[in-house]
Amino acid sequence: MRAENVSQKPKFWILHTLLIVLAFFMLVPFAWMILTSFKSLGESVHVPVIVFPKSIHWDNYIDVLYTMPFLTFYFNTIAITALKVLGTLIFSSLAAYAFARIEFPGRNVLFVILISVLMVPGQIYILPLFLIMRDFGWLNTLQAVAVPGMFDAFGVFLLRQFFLSLMKELEESAKLDGCNHLQIYWRIMLPLAKPGLIALTIFTVLASWNELLWPMIVNSSPAKMTLAVGLSWLQGRHGTNYPVLMAGSLMALWPMVLLFLTLQKHFIEGIAMTGTK
Amino acid sequence: MRKLLFALLALCLTAGLAACSGSSKNGSSKVTLTYAIWDQNYQPAIEQAIRKFEDSHPNIKVKIELTPWSQYWTKLDTGATGGELPDVFWMNQINYVKYAANGIIMPLNDQMEAGQIDASIYPDGVLDYYTNEGKHYGLPFEMSSIGLFYNKKLFDAANLPYPDETWDWDDVRKAAEKLTDPANGVWGIASTMSTEANYYNTIYQNNGFIISEDKKTSGLDRPEAIEGIQFWVDFIAKKQSPSAAQMSETSSEKLFESGKIAMLYDGSWIVKEFADIDYTKENVDVTVLPKGKVSANIVAATAMSLNAKTKHPQEAWELLRYMASREAALIYSSTGSFITAVNGTQEGWVKSVPFFNLQAFIDSATKFPKPFPTSKDTMKWFTLEEEYMLKAWSQEMSVDEMAKQLAQKVNELLAQE
């Protein structure tokens, strides 16, 4: 083990220097955001750029709280995201299991139709979805934002690939033991697909947390808005107060960072496994 | 973890249900109206006026719905198709004809003819900005005009007198040349590719026009208009203004705020930002636009329109009428948020930034206003114009050639209207 380490040393250094440089570039926008959130408006728009603010402007953070009901937006965003994740996991995995393991007539055609949904830009659906929500009487509700996001073609595709990569023998032996499809799905497939489910969770959380247009279209009352919408309020028609916007973005962002840090191990595992089968 | 998820789910569902029952309760005696706006900076002023309105109309409650400019029209279009629009909403000159033609906004002629609105409180002609085929579709509450902002520090350094109302185009050209200082990265002027803030003004100052009175022909290929555009492109060619590419990277406003530009034509909407930034607050002032053959200044007005299918037409009209009244204008003005559209109410705005000569904007708007040009489907040729102008601004094409091609295309579009 030790001998191997030594012989690998130059490679190790090259790789790590490269990774550190790349990590640095990834972190620059983030650091810039933090720095800008403490600047005065003048410092934030100055050319050439001013990197460090002369004095710390905490008031940018207070301004955000005056602009929008931040707590309500937190609650709404978390509620919508939780609903979406739960829905996506249940519906996607059930559909994916069917597409991966159950032979039924028209399966491939159906799957292609489902996948083709991925090719259509999301804006196309806005109007029909809006009309459906109106007919449900759901305009200006949290479920109007959450429910349409629960049916995710990408999630079905991702999990189907995952299920296909699992050994068929496991399932066959379960069948011999008298399991029906739902039992196989619940007892065998789901536990094995954990990395895939976690990857899908993260994708869904991110997409839901950042979604802007749909909540803004379907809801009107400030009491039903999300964090992303609140942040867009900070952009004026003529000119934007960037320090306040950055302060707001940071306040909206930290739960995502926290989530990523705690689930990091699973996340990387999930991505790696979906990639290599 | 699982328990937590279920708890959350339960919480969400109850919240959703509570929301449903909440909204259905409202129908009884109290009427709830919605009022849609696109600028958060103006919200405090609007809120104050609405509070006053609710005090005098105890049976009406008004909810403000804010959608930022970049999504406002998408939301309005979707809402219009679905028959779910706010009762009263902000409207601009570019879009109102489209909404009027589709029966989405209500003509206000009946109310106006019944004398419920005193048209004489608005500056001459401003009501016409929202009049199509004899029908009034909106009441104005906010106006904007254009001024020449200048950097006093750079003028002092170049030993030049500050611009004033006696200036004409030649004074601007001379000053731009003297103020340009490549060694220090300073440009004399910024040729921003802006209709409202820049070249529409110079076209009118040169006795040109954008769209003919009968809305049938484009005036952009006439010599007067070409000269008005050439005025700006020349600065770029002589390197007295940043190039189009430079200004798309860093906006001319940001460059001006950093002391890199000495003269900037810009709208009254930017005053707040310049007043908030220490550098511009100390070193900048503003005056009326220099004249060409004549004086001219683009004036735009934002109006409020009435949803044609509102469930409460009487109450919504009361709200609209109040928000366009002199009393409301005085409230807006006292917050210093914007130029109000009612005659003689602008003092609060002028005084809101005492270190700038804001009276210049009021003088321009009242003495030589030119309304922002529109036709039935303004957006179509407006987008096209932007595309063509960029070719002249980036010096890919001469102004002559560009104007000829553009005018031909615009004429085709106008013929279809």
Side-chain angles (χ1 to χ4, degrees):
Chain A
M1 195 63 192
R2 182 169 289 173
E4 202 180 86
N5 257 350
V6 174
S7 71
Q8 298 260 321
K9 229 170 187 178
K11 239 189 196 168
F12 172 88
W13 282 112
I14 293 170
L15 187 67
H16 277 247
T17 324
L18 194 73
L19 286 176
I20 287 168
V21 171
L22 287 178
F24 175 77
F25 279 113
M26 294 285 289
L27 284 175
V28 164
F30 196 65
W32 195 252
M33 192 171 156
I34 297 175
L35 285 171
T36 304
S37 74
F38 290 114
K39 288 177 191 170
S40 70
L41 176 60
E43 285 170 330
S44 74
V45 297
H46 197 271
V47 191
V49 290
I50 294 172
V51 179
F52 295 102
K54 261 197 205 119
S55 59
I56 302 279
H57 290 263
W58 287 106
D59 43 324
N60 293 331
Y61 286 83
I62 296 160
D63 281 356
V64 175
L65 297 177
Y66 276 116
T67 319
M68 58 177 110
F70 222 81
L71 272 182
T72 312
F73 288 179
Y74 258 122
F75 172 80
N76 291 348
T77 313
I78 291 172
I80 288 167
T81 304
L83 270 173
K84 258 194 199 174
V85 168
L86 217 65
T88 307
L89 287 183
I90 294 170
F91 295 125
S92 297
S93 60
L94 277 171
Y97 176 76
F99 279 123
R101 283 295 190 259
I102 304 177
E103 292 282 349
F104 57 90
R107 181 177 82 162
N108 291 337
V109 178
L110 256 179
F111 187 66
V112 169
I113 292 175
L114 183 80
I115 291 305
S116 66
V117 170
L118 283 176
M119 314 296 165
V120 184
Q123 288 87 335
I124 305 271
Y125 302 120
I126 282 185
L127 191 58
L129 264 182
F130 180 85
L131 297 178
I132 294 172
M133 292 301 130
R134 181 197 64 184
D135 294 344
F136 281 5
W138 280 9
L139 295 181
N140 253 329
T141 62
L142 295 185
Q143 63 263 34
V145 185
V147 172
M150 287 181 177
F151 311 97
D152 180 10
F154 169 74
V156 176
F157 176 71
L158 183 86
L159 292 179
R160 173 184 172 267
Q161 299 309 102
F162 213 94
F163 288 149
L164 283 178
S165 72
L166 298 175
M167 280 191 297
K168 248 191 167 146
E169 288 78 4
L170 286 171
E171 194 194 327
E172 274 155 11
S173 60
K175 226 179 241 170
L176 285 178
D177 287 342
C179 281
N180 62 24
H181 272 305
L182 263 183
Q183 284 167 321
I184 296 172
Y185 159 79
W186 186 252
R187 298 228 168 116
I188 313 282
M189 300 298 258
L190 272 196
L192 285 172
K194 207 171 126 198
L197 293 174
I198 287 178
L200 182 59
T201 304
I202 299 222
F203 289 136
T204 314
V205 169
L206 277 182
S208 161
W209 201 265
N210 297 329
E211 189 174 30
L212 173 65
L213 192 59
W214 177 241
M216 194 180 276
I217 298 278
V218 79
N219 288 352
S220 298
S221 150
K224 304 289 169 209
M225 288 300 184
T226 61
L227 285 169
V229 175
L231 291 179
S232 77
W233 286 1
L234 296 172
Q235 290 170 289
R237 182 180 171 192
H238 305 286
T240 297
N241 192 327
Y242 292 103
V244 177
L245 180 62
M246 290 302 128
S249 305
L250 270 175
M251 287 162 71
L253 176 91
W254 68 264
M256 288 299 97
V257 176
L258 209 69
L259 181 84
F260 188 82
L261 288 180
T262 43
L263 289 181
Q264 194 186 19
K265 207 185 93 198
H266 300 287
F267 184 43
I268 291 166
E269 204 173 71
I271 299 284
M273 283 189 73
T274 44
T276 56
K277 278 186 114 183
Chain B
M1 187 68 194
R2 189 177 297 173
K3 262 185 194 158
L4 185 75
L5 271 180
F6 275 113
L8 264 177
L9 181 68
L11 209 60
C12 307
L13 287 177
T14 19
L17 288 176
C20 281
S21 54
S23 58
S24 57
K25 243 185 271 167
N26 278 330
S28 53
S29 61
K30 205 162 178 169
V31 170
T32 303
L33 297 176
T34 46
Y35 180 90
I37 67 174
W38 63 63
D39 202 325
Q40 194 236 329
N41 294 327
Y42 296 174
Q43 192 169 351
I46 301 294
E47 252 164 22
Q48 277 191 32
I50 282 184
R51 235 169 281 143
K52 254 296 182 38
F53 172 79
E54 286 176 336
D55 285 348
S56 55
H57 296 78
N59 62 324
I60 304 178
K61 191 174 165 17
V62 183
K63 281 192 189 161
I64 298 181
E65 294 177 1
L66 167 67
T67 312
W69 176 253
S70 44
Q71 282 92 19
Y72 185 84
W73 301 104
T74 316
K75 181 167 170 88
L76 215 54
D77 285 345
T78 318
T81 317
E84 293 284 341
L85 278 179
D87 299 294
V88 179
F89 46 90
W90 286 8
M91 185 48 67
N92 73 353
Q93 284 158 264
I94 292 189
N95 285 297
Y96 88 95
V97 184
K98 185 178 90 180
Y99 285 89
N102 290 309
I104 293 162
I105 51 180
M106 200 187 278
L108 305 172
N109 289 43
D110 292 349
Q111 291 93 327
M112 293 180 75
E113 277 153 26
Q116 295 188 41
I117 277 286
D118 177 7
S120 69
I121 65 170
Y122 305 109
D124 283 345
V126 169
L127 280 179
D128 296 340
Y129 294 5
Y130 289 91
T131 306
N132 189 42
E133 292 168 359
K135 288 189 174 150
H136 301 286
Y137 287 100
L139 294 179
F141 69 99
E142 183 252 19
M143 292 203 301
S144 63
S145 60
I146 315 299
L148 163 58
F149 289 91
Y150 56 95
N151 185 322
K152 292 187 281 190
K153 206 172 163 186
L154 294 174
F155 270 81
D156 290 342
N159 238 335
L160 279 172
Y162 299 152
D164 56 29
E165 65 283 352
T166 64
W167 273 39
D168 60 17
W169 286 13
D170 275 333
D171 294 307
V172 179
R173 289 187 181 118
K174 278 181 219 151
E177 191 186 341
K178 283 192 188 137
L179 288 158
T180 302
D181 180 3
N184 289 316
V186 171
W187 288 280
I189 194 165
S191 295
T192 321
M193 203 188 88
S194 163
T195 54
E196 196 176 345
N198 273 14
Y199 66 86
Y200 279 7
N201 295 287
T202 46
I203 289 175
Y204 285 120
Q205 285 163 9
N206 205 31
N207 281 327
F209 62 90
I210 319 295
I211 296 283
S212 63
E213 296 258 321
D214 62 2
K215 317 275 185 206
K216 293 248 155 57
T217 37
S218 162
L220 289 169
D221 56 348
R222 318 245 158 158
E224 299 87 11
I226 290 174
E227 271 175 44
I229 301 166
Q230 193 72 48
F231 177 78
W232 292 106
V233 177
D234 281 348
F235 290 124
I236 294 179
K238 290 183 197 152
K239 304 218 184 306
Q240 292 163 2
S241 154
S243 69
Q246 280 164 325
M247 286 184 288
S248 73
E249 225 166 70
T250 314
S251 73
S252 48
E253 278 142 6
K254 304 258 168 317
L255 291 168
F256 187 72
E257 285 158 358
S258 309
K260 303 288 174 203
I261 281 170
M263 292 185 285
L264 179 75
Y265 283 30
D266 213 332
S268 46
W269 55 79
I270 202 74
V271 165
K272 266 251 131 78
E273 185 171 317
F274 286 173
D276 278 347
I277 291 176
D278 292 337
Y279 180 85
T280 35
K281 184 178 172 182
E282 279 157 28
N283 298 311
V284 162
D285 207 345
V286 61
T287 185
V288 296
L289 291 188
K291 51 183 170 289
K293 288 176 190 151
V294 291
S295 288
N297 191 306
I298 299 286
V299 173
T302 310
M304 298 165 292
S305 289
L306 205 59
N307 175 0
K309 297 197 180 87
T310 171
K311 290 190 190 88
H312 312 286
Q314 189 52 40
E315 288 85 354
W317 163 247
E318 285 297 324
L319 174 65
L320 173 59
R321 186 176 146 187
Y322 179 80
M323 298 302 277
S325 70
R326 189 180 158 81
E327 187 184 328
L330 286 169
I331 295 174
Y332 308 144
S333 188
S334 70
T335 67
S337 300
F338 48 82
I339 304 182
T340 41
V342 175
N343 285 327
T345 58
Q346 291 98 354
E347 203 184 329
W349 183 75
V350 171
K351 285 189 175 153
S352 68
V353 187
F355 40 89
F356 292 162
N357 170 28
L358 296 189
Q359 187 60 38
F361 287 103
I362 312 296
D363 292 348
S364 307
T366 46
K367 287 184 190 152
F368 31 85
K370 280 284 175 190
F372 191 89
T374 55
S375 72
K376 203 166 178 182
D377 205 346
T378 312
M379 213 55 205
K380 267 201 183 135
W381 54 262
F382 198 70
T383 325
L384 194 74
E385 188 181 306
E386 210 171 78
E387 186 189 310
Y388 272 80
M389 282 295 162
L390 189 61
K391 293 181 186 172
W393 244 256
S394 61
Q395 297 178 292
E396 255 175 62
M397 209 186 253
S398 74
V399 176
D400 271 345
E401 184 59 35
M402 182 278 298
K404 249 174 225 137
Q405 291 186 15
L406 171 62
Q408 198 187 340
K409 291 251 176 164
V410 174
N411 285 337
E412 282 166 23
L413 283 177
L414 290 173
Q416 289 167 17
E417 281 185 0

